[in-house]
Amino acid sequence: FFFQAEDGIRDFCLSRGLGDVYKRQAYNGEEALLKVKEETPDLMLLDCEMPILDGYECARRLVDAFDTKEIETFPIAAMTAHESDAEKNRCFMAGMNSVSYTHLTLPTIYSV
């Protein structure tokens, strides 16, 4: 299963036929950090501009938790509307493994 942390992604996924893949959801970065401690996802889709704790800081904290073995490692895929090299670099510097510019499809999910 995959875990998505974004403030409006459920409707986005359902509108693109990804509802059967959807499993867990958080509405902000703090909630995402708590939920991954309950169950390790196969993949996390992480919105870069979530409220309370943004995706960049959430990814940094997840990577710290991976390093200390607090949680099992899983891939983190950034979701952003800002299609630029600077944005892509910012995502990778935060510890995300890939970047999707809101054009999410099942092949994109499986490629991560």
Side-chain angles (χ1 to χ4, degrees), residues 1-111:
F1 77 95
F2 78 88
F3 180 89
Q4 56 195 27
E6 202 265 341
D7 54 349
I9 194 167
R10 185 173 189 278
D11 293 333
F12 174 84
C13 286
L14 291 174
S15 72
R16 285 163 175 76
L18 304 177
D20 59 328
V21 179
Y22 167 77
K23 176 73 174 173
R24 300 262 188 246
Q25 183 170 1
Y27 294 96
N28 62 64
E30 286 183 355
E31 187 179 334
L33 291 172
L34 293 173
K35 287 190 174 190
V36 298
K37 291 179 182 179
E38 297 169 8
E39 187 175 7
T40 303
D42 296 311
L43 167 68
M44 176 182 276
L45 302 177
L46 193 56
D47 181 358
C48 294
E49 296 183 359
M50 289 183 295
I52 301 176
L53 181 70
D54 67 33
Y56 310 105
E57 184 58 28
C58 183
R60 283 187 208 74
R61 292 184 189 185
L62 286 168
V63 170
D64 286 346
F66 297 159
D67 292 344
T68 62
K69 308 289 190 227
E70 183 180 340
I71 59 175
E72 291 182 45
T73 303
F74 52 84
I76 304 168
M79 295 189 61
T80 180
H82 306 289
E83 195 167 342
S84 70
D85 287 339
E87 179 67 10
K88 188 174 183 178
N89 289 336
R90 186 175 180 195
C91 292
F92 288 137
M93 292 299 294
M96 299 177 202
N97 304 98
S98 68
V99 179
S100 177
Y101 302 107
T102 66
H103 304 292
L104 187 64
T105 62
L106 279 176
T108 303
I109 289 173
Y110 291 129
S111 72

